[in-house]
Amino acid sequence: SLDGAKFKLVVGDAQSDPKVAAAEAERLITHYNPIGMLGCYASSLSLTVSEVCERYQIPFITGSCTPDLTTRGSRYTFQLNVYCADFGIYAVNFAWEYGQQKGVPVNKLALIFEDSAWGTTCSEGVRFEAEKRGLEIVLDESYPAGLTDATPLMQKVKAMTEKINWKFVRVPASLHKLLKRRAVKEKKAIWKVILSSVAYRDEVTKR
């Protein structure tokens, strides 16, 4: 439909900072006058970039999944993914069905999530589906983006060990490794299954 037209790709670095993302979007638009924008993976970044694109009337295509991107009257923002909450819903559904198949019925959940747009909305899906299925959430805890000291969180997790048989967690790979390391150190699984929605890192699932 573009009759063989070629695109020139210009890249900006958001540096995982919503303010920087917005500034970079504006720089790219004012300097290069693009026909469209692509980005940013992280919902918190895409939210600020979409505001800039809406202001300049530049189409913005994103793979981020927070519903706020397209439910606030946006005209130039186009979302390709399902909403974040759906990931939480699917995770609880998986836990329920897998538990039924393996004879490990799901009745209590722990929920740990990053307090970003993505993590918060994912947690809403977990709560929704847990209530729908009559499951008890015995731990519902958020943590700040960029967490470096997980000790207080781990103490809460350890206190809940005997009360949980499934857990949904949206954590960075580093915290996920801490959870696994503690389980190995204590020679027992903290939970029967950890349902994780983390960054795509091989070390999360390597054995």
Side-chain angles (χ1 to χ4, degrees), residues 19-62:
K19 292 182 179 180
V20 174
E24 275 293 276
E26 187 156 18
R27 180 185 68 82
L28 293 173
I29 291 172
T30 56
H31 188 75
Y32 294 100
N33 191 30
I35 62 171
M37 300 277 286
L38 301 173
C40 296
Y41 182 74
S43 294
S44 57
L45 305 181
S46 293
L47 282 169
T48 58
V49 169
S50 68
E51 292 173 355
V52 176
C53 290
E54 290 291 327
R55 187 165 68 251
Y56 284 94
Q57 299 182 0
I58 298 294
F60 176 52
I61 300 175
T62 177

Side-chain angles (χ1 to χ4, degrees), residues 5-117:
K6 295 183 179 180
F7 291 95
K8 178 181 179 181
L9 182 64
V10 181
V11 179
D13 184 2
Q15 301 178 32
S16 298
D17 185 320
K19 292 182 179 180
V20 174
E24 275 293 276
E26 187 156 18
R27 180 185 68 82
L28 293 173
I29 291 172
T30 56
H31 188 75
Y32 294 100
N33 191 30
I35 62 171
M37 300 277 286
L38 301 173
C40 296
Y41 182 74
S43 294
S44 57
L45 305 181
S46 293
L47 282 169
T48 58
V49 169
S50 68
E51 292 173 355
V52 176
C53 290
E54 290 291 327
R55 187 165 68 251
Y56 284 94
Q57 299 182 0
I58 298 294
F60 176 52
I61 300 175
T62 177
S64 299
C65 52
T66 177
D68 291 342
L69 282 164
T70 50
T71 58
R72 53 182 181 175
S74 301
R75 297 183 59 191
Y76 296 90
T77 301
F78 302 90
Q79 200 167 14
L80 305 179
N81 292 41
V82 298
Y83 289 150
C84 298
D86 291 327
F87 287 95
I89 291 172
Y90 299 153
V92 175
N93 283 335
F94 170 81
W96 176 270
E97 294 173 5
Y98 187 81
Q100 295 296 313
Q101 292 177 11
K102 298 298 181 179
V104 186
V106 177
N107 46 52
K108 296 180 180 180
L109 301 174
L111 172 60
I112 302 173
F113 59 96
E114 184 181 275
D115 61 359
S116 61

Side-chain angles (χ1 to χ4, degrees), residues 180-200:
K180 288 175 62 178
R181 191 178 303 127
R182 180 175 290 277
V184 172
K185 182 178 180 180
E186 297 184 2
K187 298 182 179 180
K188 66 178 181 179
I190 298 179
W191 300 280
K192 293 183 174 67
V193 172
I194 297 177
L195 297 175
S196 180
S197 176
V198 304
Y200 300 121

